[in-house]
Each structure stands twice: as C-alpha cells, then as structure tokens.
Amino acid sequence: MTPKSNYSRFLELILLIMAATAAGGLIYALGKPNQSTAMTFASGLLFTMSLMAFIYVQLNPDAVRARQSDTTLKLASEMLSYVQDGMSAESAQAICGLLLPATNAKAVAITNREVILGYVGEEEGQNESGSPVRTKATHATLTDGKTRVLTSAEEIGFPPTVKNLSAGIVVPLHRGEIIVGTLKFYYRRASSINETQLALAEGLAELLSTQIAAVEMENQRKLATTMELKALQSQINPHFLFNTINTIAALTRTDPARARVLLREFAVFYRRTLENSDDLLEVTRELDQTQRYFLFEVARFGEDRLSLDVEIEDGLEDILVPSFLVQPLVENAVKHAMPQEGMLNIEVNVYSEGDDVIISVKDDGIGMDESQKRKMLEAPEVKGTGIAMGNIRDRLRGYYGEDAHMEVESSGGTGTTVRLVLSGAADDGEI
C-alpha cells in the first residue's frame, strides 16, 4: 500500500471520529432541558462539516483512483498466484471466490470451452466444477468472442428452476487470438448492471486473459528449451555418433566417394542442429534435416532395408512449424518399426485439410499394440522417444491451440501412421 493511500485512510478515520463526536455532542445538547443554542449550533456545524469532508475524501477522484488501483493490484497479485501453474478447476474456483466480493454480482463463474471450471455464489450447488457449459449465451460468446450483457434469465439460458439470478455479463477469455473460455458475473436483476459493473467485468477478464497468456508463454519457453536440449542430446548421443562415424570409416575403404558425401552431410547436419534453436522454421527446412538424418541410417543399415519418401502439397512449403517436429517421428520408426528382415518404407506427407495442415509419418513396419499406442498418446516416458512424443504433443497445443493434436493408427504387423494436426495453419499461412 502506498503512503498516499495510508494518509487517505488516516484522514478518513479522523473525519469519522470527528463526525461521531459532533453527533454525540449534538444529541447531548438537544437532550438537555436548558439546551445551549451555541453548543447545539457548534455541534451541528462540526457534524455537518466533518460529514461533508468525509464524503469529499470518499468521492475525491484521486482517492477513488487510489483505492481502485490498490484493489486492482491486490487482485492481480492474488490471481497470478493462482494461475501460475495453469488454469485448473482448483485455481478457477479460488479466483471466483476472489472476484465475487470485488463486484456487485451474486455469482461468478469461469469456464473453458467445454465445462465449468469454477463457480462461487448463488446456485453454486447446481453448477459444480466439471459440469458441461449449458447456457446459450456462454456458447455464443465462446463462438464469436463478444461480451454479452444479459437482462433476463431467458437471454442467459437459465432453466426455469433458477429464480434468483436474472441478469448477467459474459466476457470471453483469450490466449492470444484463441478464445479459451469465459468469465461470467450473474446478478439478481438487470438494474444491478451499470457501466461501472461492465467496465469492471471486462477489465478483470482482460487482466485474467493477460495472466493466462503470460503463463502460457513462459511454459512454452521452458518447453521449447527442454525440447531443444532433448533433441540435441538424442542426436549427439554416443550410439548415433559412434554408429555414424563407424559407418563413414568403413566406407572410406569400400566407397571413398560416398564416405566424402556422408562426411560433408554429417557436418551440415550438426551445424543445422545448432542453428535450429529458433522456435519456428519453414517445414521444408525441417524435412531437409529429417532426410539428412535418414541418410546416415540408410548408410548404416543399407538401401535394401530402409527407404524414405517425402511429399509436400504445393503452397505449403513455407508453412512455419516448431523445430524437431518430424525427425523424432522418423527416428522412432527406424528404432522401433523395422522388421527383422526386409524393407522398412517410411512416407512423410504434408497436406491440408480445410484450414488445418496435416503432417503424416507412415511406415509399413511391425506396428504397435493398443498398450503401446496409449503410452505414446497419453504420457511421456521417463526417457527415450517417449520424451520426444510428449514434447511434440504439448508443443502442438502450445503453438496451434487446443484443437491441435496427434493421432496414431497402428496394429501389429500392419505398420503405423502418426498424424500431426496443425489446427488453422493452412488458413493462417504461417504461425
């Protein structure tokens, strides 16, 4: 709290004490049988002046702004402490409890795009965390991103059983351009909603959206750093390094020309690895690096054991993607899908489906059972390719939104197809 706000509070206290003292003196003077006109007048004057001064301090723009700033800063600080680990049901419930006393609303709710995350106030028992979003006004705001002021239960979309709440404000929550949920304030009657309440609701939603975006950016920064280090370690691990060097050394005796080509590509591969520290790069660069990695695996296992085919739909060559997005999938296929005998064919395709861009990595190897598929899709392993798969899934959502995801189709003996769905990437042109 600032010294100025301390001073204002002290002044308010002194004026209240003076007004109370004057009021007591006035009552005493009026109650005496032989009342003193001078004492009555003095007490009345002191009471009036103290009360007027107190009202002035209360309504003084600087004092009001100071109190509002103090309240907003405290709210911002406490809200940030709840969202720093992400917007969960627990944090949303805590934030609703924090915001309710700061407004004239009778209930406050926070939703994501599907369910209620937090609800505090009247009708709380009917709106538990995890309940699906039901009101039509909320669905409309999630669709178009517009703030809605609702003046009847019918406009809100409440069922007839809700009697005490008949007005509301629904404000979208954003993460960048993506609508991730809503902040809602419900009131007893429409007359409770004024410009102050609307501005407060929109301001709090903007504050919460900014904090959600800031936390997400920090998480993505940490995730990108972790992914880069894991990918780098995966590529410079002793097995890959020694296998490649041994392969090139053997070729210097049997095929010197090819050994020179591989040695040159090996140098380019690691230089590109160190250069690819940017979060995003053109998909063609990512695929070039993947093909360069595959060149060393072909040299090691032989052209009769491995093949790679890459195709990009026209117009998608400059689409930006996170670095190390495709190579881990191809590497995973080489490590785990190759049969004991015969050829492993891998196909990488980049194409559009509506506004989405799909990156498909398909192999005709030994395939996976349902348990292995679940492990790849649900939880990263402690080490190895599971870390890469987990990072790919998380970064897809971070860069392309909640609709971006990884799909895996596989069964024993029939091969595996991994599809990365880059939501909205074709429509944006770039991320």
Side-chain angles (χ1 to χ4, degrees), residues 15-273:
L15 290 171
L16 275 175
I17 292 173
M18 288 176 61
T21 303
L26 183 61
I27 293 171
Y28 175 76
L30 290 173
K32 288 183 64 177
N34 300 315
Q35 61 180 354
S36 168
T37 303
M39 184 176 178
T40 302
F41 177 78
S43 298
L45 181 62
L46 180 60
F47 174 75
T48 302
M49 291 179 63
S50 300
L51 191 60
M52 289 180 63
F54 177 77
I55 293 172
Y56 172 77
V57 169
Q58 283 286 306
L59 298 180
N60 179 275
D62 288 338
V64 171
R65 281 194 293 269
R67 284 193 296 273
Q68 289 176 338
S69 298
D70 187 44
T71 301
T72 302
L73 286 172
K74 288 176 66 176
L75 279 174
S77 176
E78 293 186 50
M79 284 166 59
L80 183 58
S81 69
Y82 289 123
V83 301
Q84 60 185 356
D85 293 325
M87 182 62 78
S88 63
E90 292 77 12
S91 60
Q93 188 73 10
I95 291 171
C96 288
L98 189 67
L99 296 184
L100 184 61
T103 72
N104 291 335
K106 297 303 178 183
V108 177
I110 294 175
T111 77
N112 61 18
R113 294 191 63 85
E114 290 86 27
V115 301
I116 298 169
L117 292 177
Y119 189 107
V120 172
E122 294 192 14
E123 302 293 333
E124 187 171 340
Q126 309 302 315
N127 296 279
E128 295 180 352
S129 177
S131 303
V133 172
R134 296 184 295 270
T135 59
K136 59 185 179 182
T138 305
H139 283 293
T141 294
L142 288 169
T143 300
D144 60 23
K146 294 180 179 178
T147 296
R148 283 176 165 76
V149 177
L150 311 160
T151 57
S152 69
E154 291 73 23
E155 272 192 273
I156 297 171
F158 277 147
T161 53
V162 177
K163 303 296 185 183
N164 295 326
L165 302 176
S166 59
I169 302 174
V170 183
V171 192
L173 296 175
H174 294 270
R175 189 183 65 231
E177 298 298 319
I178 302 170
I179 303 169
V180 296
T182 61
L183 176 61
K184 304 189 289 185
F185 299 88
Y186 293 125
Y187 304 83
R188 287 264 174 85
R189 55 189 68 85
S191 59
S192 299
I193 301 176
N194 52 32
E195 291 298 323
T196 300
Q197 289 298 304
L198 178 59
L200 184 60
E202 291 180 326
L204 290 171
E206 187 65 30
L207 179 62
L208 189 54
S209 294
T210 301
Q211 291 181 340
I212 291 172
V215 170
E216 184 65 24
M217 286 178 63
E218 178 63 16
N219 290 340
Q220 286 303 314
R221 185 192 65 78
K222 293 177 180 177
L223 188 60
T225 302
T226 301
M227 182 59 186
E228 181 183 337
L229 291 174
K230 294 298 181 184
L232 202 56
Q233 290 167 357
S234 173
Q235 291 155 6
I236 310 182
N237 72 69
H239 293 295
F240 178 75
L241 186 63
F242 294 151
N243 287 335
T244 304
I245 291 175
N246 287 336
T247 299
I248 295 174
L251 287 172
T252 57
R253 296 189 296 273
T254 60
D255 192 345
R258 190 181 181 193
R260 284 195 297 273
V261 171
L262 284 176
L263 195 58
R264 184 172 61 248
E265 290 298 319
F266 197 53
V268 174
F269 177 78
Y270 277 111
R271 186 167 67 249
R272 291 284 185 269
T273 295

